[in-house]
Amino acid sequence: MPLSSVSCTQTGRALDSIMGTGHFQFSLVVLCGFCAVGLCDPEGFLSLACGGTRSYVDSLNISWIPDGEYITTGQTISVSYVDSSSTSPTSNTSLRFFPDSSKRNCYQLPLKNTSSLALIRTRFMYKNYDGKQEPPVFSVSLGTAIASTVNLSSNDPWMEELVWPLSKDSISFCLHRIPNGGSPVISTIEVRPLPEGAYRSGLGDSPNKSLRKAYRIDCGQTNDSLRYPLDPYDRIWDPDKSFSPFHVSTAFKIQSNSILSGTAEDLPAAVLATARVLARKDTLTYSFLLDTLADYYIALYFAGILPISPSFDILINGDIVWSNYTVEVSGASALYFTRKGLDSLNVTLRSTSFSPQVNAIEVYEVLDIPAEASSTTVSALQVIQQFIGLDLGWEDDPCSPFTWDHITCHGSRVTSLDLSNIILRSINPAFGDLLDLKTLDLHNTSLAGEIQNLGSLQNLERLNLSFNGLASFGADWETLVSLRVLDLQHNSLKGKVPDSLGELKDLRLLNLENNMLEGTLPQSLNRDSLNVRTSGNLCLSFSAITCDDSNEAASSPAMQAPQVTIVDKRKHPRNTRLPIILGVVGGVLLALLVISLVAFIYKRTERTESALTARAAMDMKNWNAAAKIFSYKEIKSATNNFKEVIGRGSFGAVYLGKLPDGKSVAVKVRFDKSQLGADSFINEVHLLSQVCHQNLVFFEGFCYESQRQILVYEYLPGGSLADHLYGTSSKKSVSLSWVRRLKIAVDAAKGLDYLHNGSEPRIIHRDIKCGNILLDKDMNAKVCDFGLSKQITREDATHVTTVVKGTAGYLDPEYYSTQQLTEKSDVYSFGVVLLELICGREPLSHTGTPDSFNLVLWAKPYLQAGAFEIVDERLNGCFDVESMKRTAIVAVRSVERDASQRPTMAEVLSELKEAYSIQLSYLASSGHMN
Ligand SMILES: *[C@@H]1O[C@H](CO)[C@@H](O)[C@H](O)[C@H]1NC(C)=O
Ligand SMILES: *[C@@H]1O[C@H](CO)[C@@H](O)[C@H](O)[C@H]1NC(C)=O
Ligand SMILES: *[C@@H]1O[C@H](CO)[C@@H](O)[C@H](O)[C@H]1NC(C)=O
Ligand SMILES: *[C@@H]1O[C@H](CO)[C@@H](O)[C@H](O)[C@H]1NC(C)=O
Ligand SMILES: *[C@@H]1O[C@H](CO)[C@@H](O)[C@H](O)[C@H]1NC(C)=O
Ligand SMILES: *[C@@H]1O[C@H](CO)[C@@H](O)[C@H](O)[C@H]1NC(C)=O
């Protein structure tokens, strides 16, 4: 063994003044005894020369072998460097690089089971081997943990060292490309067993931590770094030259044998033999630069190499972490500290007796090792991959460090699997082993035969088997106890729907469309919380009405005519709720019919009374409200003789105007036929002039002359919410982000809440829709068109309002049965607006399947089931899920059929504020404000 002189011949100079005596004897016996134990044998060492073609032994007597046996990807190249100082590999070296972005680049490293801990050291060297002067940046992972990002522009070569607790016989070490990072490259990999039980003190018992080396310093050492064979574990101990103050310290000799048994880390004698001692100062500080904000593990080693016992306080970043620590003569000891969330580190020893001293320091970043997915899950997925017969790139762990394609994980659990559009043909039994699945999407996978092998998936919430050729339901449905959404549309299911589906209490949406089902649906499926879709079947309904086999639907099963599902509630004649869930077409037609009918009656009764009555004239004469009375002449000149039409409301055209003071206004001129009686009009404008709120469009004044009724409002240049959501005009800028949509919703809700609760008298808007929410130039929203609202006085709060005003798609469904519009009708309409903001589509659409015709009927079951697939695609998924969830919940509650179940406007407002603030903090934390 060439146990050269190493660092052992130094003498204690700096302490002369304290000690009075100079030199301590270095004992060679110690080091030799150390070797005799047999640890000097590089048993368990694995040294890979990446890209190498032959084995060799380096100057340290370590054997290097080519890496070809451990990796299948990448290309190799051999390069010559003129680098006299390099020890290993030789100046003729090789490397492996990974230009192919489609491949997974992983080494499978065998880990010998002789120790429970290993040091894995990797070296990356670019040195312009490709002549392109583009040093790559990439990340590396070990097992399930992302270890670090290697940036060869900032350091070349780059070294990573990880202390890794072993749990398996092999581990994968992978290099991952990052966008525009270039081709990963690697030069060497070294695996070294570490002493049993080392580097665990102070880390807690959890085995799921790894340590990434930041510093390993042989304090007091002034020459080169020290490693194997002096350190039998081949740790590389750096000299502490680069720490100031330098040259005030020196090294001391080891005194006795007993020192060496002190620590679990089994520090080499050569390292313990030197210390940094500050003889003339009473504090000794090491300052470390840290490259990552993280938790750090700090180990301090002390050896009593002096004939004195110094005592000192130990401070980390200014905090005392140990008081009056004493280094015993001839003993070795260590202290371990874990500090959370550090971005800088200094370690100070402050003397209490004699001079502070430290022999070695190690600083590691603490990395969490994500748990591995259960072996059942992993093998089930492997079976499925084989069964599919495609290479899906499923290797190692499905969830960490990166989630496999087609999979979503929650921690180490695989919660979602999407194999849609891949040919499967049948449901392999291995699917039944994916016990954590919440979502399974197998649509368009050519499934045929029976639905099978899924009965064990008790966590499954969403199952999509649509667009396949499945012919029978199979058994085991009652065990899928968490199922919320079951999509079986477009299959070849025949016969009756099994009763067991009715036992799924959480089921919200059952889509059976376009199958060949017939008969009576189980009554257990007939409940309010469940939406059953049945169109495009032979004959399927809840009622026992006999099916006429010769009917048209039966002869052409593919026909997609909308079908009415009759919910038989006639047993309860006292139920005042609308007893029939209308087929969408029917509902909309009826709504239009009612609106036009009632509007017609209304116009007929009102139009006769249009002359200025004496009372109205009097009221105008004594006008003392804030709103101004304009003359017709003023209006004409303001609008430049009604030149520019900017809109057409339900009661007449709206013109752009400019008042003499330069203010832009919107001028609404009522049709003759829509005019109110004079008293009503004056009442109305009087009311309007009292309503003032920042989220309500400001009422400037009116004109009532020559039987013309004209209302003047502030003009908002931002257009309406409808323009922004659906318009193609110049008003529509980029599509609205989720946070913008929430801000608009909060603003509008404030305005409505004021109408309902803040104004006196209270006001029902009666025509809330996206077209009536306007935006100013700063995108603040204001509600307009409340001018024709009916006030509610205290006495007639429950009074029947007979005047129907409203827009199809927004109208409270209770109106059809009660003929009343209440504040809760506004809440309903506003709920529809919220659904539009979420889904980005209009309340009634005339394209798509009949089911998607009506926004409320379409969106509600999805949102209730927390299925955010229907969220507006233009949001690109850029929203906080919690924020979306809260908005969805309040929207769904607002469009409850039963008005008493709807929240008040105040409740809606407070929920929206909450959702808005969640989204804001999400944006702040993810660092992109929008
Ligand atoms: C450092 O190197 C010098 C010259 O190479 C040598 O004389 C000295 O003994 C070495 N010191 C230690 C501590 O190894
Ligand atoms: C390095 O490689 C070159 C050519 O491949 C060869 O001539 C030379 O001897 C090698 N040097 C060493 C030290 O192996
Ligand atoms: C190492 O593992 C092998 C097989 O896995 C076993 O036969 C051997 O006894 C183990 N050695 C030790 C030291 O545990
Ligand atoms: C890599 O390091 C260089 C130089 O320090 C720096 O400019 C660059 O931003 C780094 N790249 C990454 C991806 O961190
Ligand atoms: C050490 O860190 C603490 C806290 O960050 C700081 O107050 C102190 O000045 C530092 N000491 C030295 C010597 O850098
Ligand atoms: C169904 O999957 C096949 C591939 O298996 C694909 O070609 C086809 O476009 C898919 N059909 C639909 C409607 O997505």
Side-chain angles (χ1 to χ4, degrees):
M1 269 274 18
L3 258 188
S4 57
S5 58
V6 227
S7 55
C8 314
T9 54
Q10 294 188 353
T11 53
R13 284 174 312 206
L15 271 196
D16 283 0
S17 54
I18 301 175
M19 313 296 304
T21 160
H23 302 236
F24 299 97
Q25 288 305 305
F26 177 74
S27 163
L28 252 183
V29 179
V30 170
L31 288 176
C32 285
F34 195 54
C35 279
V37 184
L39 289 173
C40 295
D41 188 344
E43 167 95 40
F45 279 25
L46 175 69
S47 309
L48 299 182
C50 303
T53 51
R54 60 185 180 87
S55 302
Y56 64 91
V57 176
D58 71 7
S59 57
L60 294 173
N61 232 351
I62 292 172
S63 311
W64 292 82
I65 56 171
D67 65 343
E69 203 183 313
Y70 303 95
I71 190 162
T72 55
T73 58
Q75 298 178 15
T76 64
I77 189 169
S78 144
V79 262
S80 303
Y81 298 117
V82 189
D83 182 2
S84 52
S85 68
S86 137
T87 49
S88 70
T90 57
S91 58
N92 271 356
T93 187
S94 60
L95 53 83
R96 185 177 290 272
F97 62 106
F98 303 93
D100 182 354
S101 59
S102 67
K103 296 256 171 53
R104 210 168 152 272
N105 305 309
C106 294
Y107 282 89
Q108 282 302 324
L109 301 177
L111 298 174
K112 298 262 167 61
N113 54 357
T114 49
S115 161
S116 61
L117 200 66
L119 176 72
I120 295 168
R121 180 163 53 218
T122 44
R123 246 166 125 249
F124 310 90
M125 190 145 80
Y126 173 67
K127 302 277 189 205
N128 200 24
Y129 73 89
D130 57 0
K132 292 182 184 159
Q133 299 284 10
E134 284 170 3
V137 184
F138 50 93
S139 69
V140 293
S141 67
L142 191 61
T144 54
I146 304 268
S148 86
T149 300
V150 175
N151 184 347
L152 288 166
S153 320
S154 61
N155 273 323
D156 187 3
W158 181 289
M159 180 114 87
E160 281 293 334
E161 278 189 47
L162 291 169
V163 173
W164 191 267
L166 303 182
S167 55
K168 299 208 293 191
D169 286 349
S170 77
I171 195 164
S172 47
F173 174 82
C174 307
L175 297 92
H176 307 272
R177 301 175 72 97
I178 62 178
N180 304 320
S183 303
V185 57
I186 185 163
S187 301
T188 64
I189 301 178
E190 295 161 87
V191 180
R192 308 286 185 247
L194 284 173
E196 203 76 45
Y199 303 108
R200 295 288 104 183
S201 312
L203 263 192
D205 291 334
S206 63
N208 60 344
K209 300 259 193 265
S210 164
L211 299 174
R212 174 181 175 235
K213 184 194 127 181
Y215 291 93
R216 186 183 297 120
I217 297 162
D218 177 8
C219 303
Q221 171 66 270
T222 54
N223 283 4
D224 284 341
S225 56
L226 178 161
R227 59 182 293 188
Y228 181 81
L230 288 172
D231 186 340
Y233 305 101
D234 197 17
R235 287 167 289 201
I236 298 177
W237 296 88
D238 294 321
D240 72 354
K241 285 193 258 214
S242 46
F243 294 89
S244 61
F246 188 57
H247 284 316
V248 293
S249 67
T250 184
F252 298 87
K253 298 175 188 173
I254 287 219
Q255 274 231 313
S256 83
N257 217 338
S258 59
I259 288 175
L260 295 167
S261 57
T263 64
E265 286 70 28
D266 217 347
L267 257 56
V271 170
L272 289 180
T274 60
R276 177 173 284 215
V277 179
L278 277 196
R280 279 175 242 280
K281 288 198 181 148
D282 46 7
T283 62
L284 165 58
T285 296
Y286 277 88
S287 295
F288 299 97
L289 295 171
L290 302 178
D291 59 358
T292 324
L293 172 68
D295 298 349
Y296 283 88
Y297 180 73
I298 301 140
L300 306 178
Y301 303 96
F302 308 96
I305 56 174
L306 307 173
I308 48 151
S309 285
S311 299
F312 40 83
D313 295 336
I314 300 167
L315 295 85
I316 293 181
N317 283 354
D319 301 331
I320 296 191
V321 292
W322 201 287
S323 293
N324 215 13
Y325 184 73
T326 302
V327 179
E328 301 294 345
V329 176
S330 300
S333 55
L335 290 177
Y336 311 90
F337 306 99
T338 305
R339 307 293 282 179
K340 293 196 179 302
L342 299 191
D343 57 3
S344 69
L345 172 65
N346 63 40
V347 176
T348 298
L349 309 182
R350 192 171 62 199
S351 167
T352 51
S353 139
F354 298 111
S355 299
Q357 164 199 338
V358 60
N359 296 58
I361 302 180
E362 289 182 275
V363 178
Y364 291 94
E365 182 186 337
V366 180
L367 295 179
D368 283 324
I369 305 175
E372 292 181 0
S374 82
S375 54
T376 318
T377 301
V378 178
S379 54
L381 290 169
Q382 298 292 9
V383 169
I384 291 169
Q385 177 171 236
Q386 278 180 6
F387 171 70
I388 295 172
L390 291 178
D391 182 5
L392 300 175
W394 286 0
E395 276 175 64
D396 285 325
D397 191 89
C399 301
S400 305
F402 296 105
T403 312
W404 289 348
D405 287 349
H406 306 285
I407 278 173
T408 314
C409 292
H410 193 266
S412 61
R413 288 176 299 131
V414 174
T415 53
S416 155
L417 174 59
D418 178 352
L419 294 174
S420 53
N421 304 331
I422 291 176
I423 295 177
L424 294 177
R425 296 208 172 83
S426 70
I427 302 174
N428 187 285
F431 282 97
D433 288 338
L434 302 173
L435 298 177
D436 296 316
L437 277 190
K438 286 176 186 287
T439 303
L440 177 60
D441 188 347
L442 300 180
H443 87 263
N444 187 26
T445 51
S446 307
L447 298 178
E450 183 177 296
I451 301 173
Q452 55 186 355
N453 295 324
L454 299 176
S456 52
L457 304 182
Q458 301 205 346
N459 293 311
L460 196 64
E461 292 173 6
R462 281 183 247 164
L463 176 58
N464 187 345
L465 299 173
S466 61
F467 296 91
N468 282 304
L470 291 164
S472 106
F473 277 96
D476 294 343
W477 287 101
E478 61 279 1
T479 55
L480 295 176
V481 290
S482 306
L483 205 59
R484 298 172 73 84
V485 179
L486 175 57
D487 194 344
L488 297 172
Q489 64 175 308
H490 287 93
N491 273 288
S492 312
L493 296 169
K494 293 189 198 67
K496 291 190 64 176
V497 175
D499 288 339
S500 51
L501 284 180
E503 288 172 35
L504 303 176
K505 294 289 170 262
D506 287 337
L507 200 60
R508 294 286 172 273
L509 179 60
L510 172 60
N511 195 334
L512 300 169
E513 288 174 339
N514 297 302
N515 277 287
M516 290 182 272
L517 298 166
E518 57 195 323
T520 314
L521 284 163
Q523 281 304 315
S524 46
L525 292 173
N526 187 359
R527 52 180 194 249
D528 281 354
S529 59
L530 173 59
N531 183 312
V532 184
R533 298 190 173 164
T534 59
S535 65
N537 279 288
L538 294 181
C539 178
L540 193 59
S541 76
F542 281 119
S543 63
I545 45 171
T546 50
C547 285
D548 178 0
D549 278 354
S550 67
N551 74 19
E552 207 184 340
S555 56
S556 60
M559 204 186 79
Q560 297 196 11
Q563 189 163 324
V564 175
T565 302
I566 297 164
V567 181
D568 195 355
K569 286 239 173 78
R570 291 199 192 116
K571 284 166 259 164
H572 313 286
R574 306 192 57 189
N575 190 340
T576 54
R577 291 168 49 182
L578 203 60
I580 292 171
I581 296 172
L582 295 160
V584 252
V585 173
V588 172
L589 284 181
L590 184 63
L592 292 173
L593 191 72
V594 171
I595 292 167
S596 42
L597 238 173
V598 178
F600 178 69
I601 295 167
Y602 160 72
K603 286 172 193 167
R604 285 288 296 268
T605 52
E606 294 282 343
R607 64 186 291 193
T608 50
E609 181 197 2
S610 60
L612 203 55
T613 63
R615 211 197 101 206
M618 183 68 113
D619 278 347
M620 279 179 68
K621 207 168 161 198
N622 301 326
W623 189 254
N624 59 359
K628 180 174 167 5
I629 302 180
F630 293 93
S631 69
Y632 188 66
K633 216 172 126 198
E634 282 172 308
I635 297 287
K636 249 176 100 168
S637 100
T639 58
N640 203 355
N641 205 9
F642 303 101
K643 192 159 162 232
E644 191 179 342
V645 178
I646 52 172
R648 224 167 264 284
S650 43
F651 293 94
V654 186
Y655 301 88
L656 183 62
K658 197 168 214 166
L659 298 183
D661 65 2
K663 190 169 185 182
S664 295
V665 287
V667 177
K668 293 193 177 185
V669 182
R670 312 195 78 184
F671 290 135
D672 282 353
K673 287 180 182 152
S674 68
Q675 293 201 343
L676 296 173
D679 288 346
S680 307
F681 183 73
I682 294 299
N683 273 345
E684 189 82 43
V685 294
H686 196 259
L687 174 68
L688 285 179
S689 66
Q690 288 168 346
V691 177
C692 181
H693 185 270
Q694 60 180 4
N695 297 112
L696 296 173
V697 174
F698 184 69
F699 179 62
E700 300 277 353
F702 67 100
C703 164
Y704 191 10
E705 238 175 60
S706 332
Q707 304 200 3
R708 290 185 189 89
Q709 296 177 350
I710 297 172
L711 303 170
V712 181
Y713 290 93
E714 79 175 298
Y715 171 69
L716 293 181
S720 74
L721 177 55
D723 293 335
H724 283 267
L725 283 179
Y726 316 116
T728 48
S729 74
S730 57
K731 291 278 165 44
K732 186 191 165 191
S733 45
V734 282
S735 77
L736 295 171
S737 65
W738 180 237
V739 75
R740 279 254 158 95
R741 293 183 196 208
L742 280 175
K743 168 71 165 52
I744 289 168
V746 168
D747 283 352
K750 281 181 185 164
L752 290 171
D753 179 48
Y754 176 81
L755 289 179
H756 288 183
N757 303 313
S759 71
E760 182 57 50
R762 295 179 297 149
I763 293 170
I764 301 176
H765 186 293
R766 287 187 296 163
D767 194 15
I768 295 167
K769 57 181 175 183
C770 286
N772 278 341
I773 295 172
L774 303 183
L775 301 172
D776 71 10
K777 63 180 189 336
D778 302 319
M779 302 291 279
N780 298 306
K782 301 187 180 199
V783 174
C784 72
D785 214 17
F786 49 90
L788 303 160
S789 330
K790 187 178 190 303
Q791 69 199 65
I792 318 166
T793 54
R794 296 234 179 281
E795 310 84 71
D796 66 6
T798 57
H799 183 79
V800 179
T801 60
T802 50
V803 181
V804 169
K805 182 168 170 268
T807 304
Y810 292 92
L811 197 57
D812 180 357
E814 278 214 335
Y815 177 78
Y816 302 120
S817 51
T818 63
Q819 306 294 308
Q820 289 183 32
L821 287 178
T822 65
E823 286 146 311
K824 290 294 179 76
S825 310
D826 279 354
V827 172
Y828 181 93
S829 311
F830 189 66
V832 176
V833 170
L834 292 178
L835 292 179
E836 291 183 75
L837 288 170
I838 293 170
C839 304
R841 55 151 283 191
E842 291 178 83
L844 297 177
S845 96
H846 301 279
T847 56
T849 64
D851 249 334
S852 58
F853 199 85
N854 179 303
L855 174 61
V856 173
L857 296 181
W858 173 72
K860 217 167 136 180
Y862 285 100
L863 295 179
Q864 274 170 336
F868 293 146
E869 287 90 342
I870 62 164
V871 167
D872 191 350
E873 286 166 350
R874 290 172 294 180
L875 293 177
N876 290 321
C878 295
F879 55 83
D880 177 83
V881 172
E882 183 60 27
S883 162
M884 181 61 72
K885 209 179 198 168
R886 292 188 91 122
T887 315
I889 289 172
V890 76
V892 165
R893 286 178 59 213
S894 300
V895 295
E896 279 292 342
R897 174 161 276 278
D898 180 351
S900 67
Q901 302 287 309
R902 296 175 205 151
T904 64
M905 210 58 226
E907 288 168 316
V908 174
L909 173 59
S910 104
E911 278 303 304
L912 289 174
K913 280 180 175 169
E914 194 65 31
Y916 179 55
S917 85
I918 292 171
Q919 179 69 10
L920 282 180
S921 50
Y922 162 77
L923 293 177
S925 68
S926 61
H928 51 275
M929 289 300 297
N930 184 359

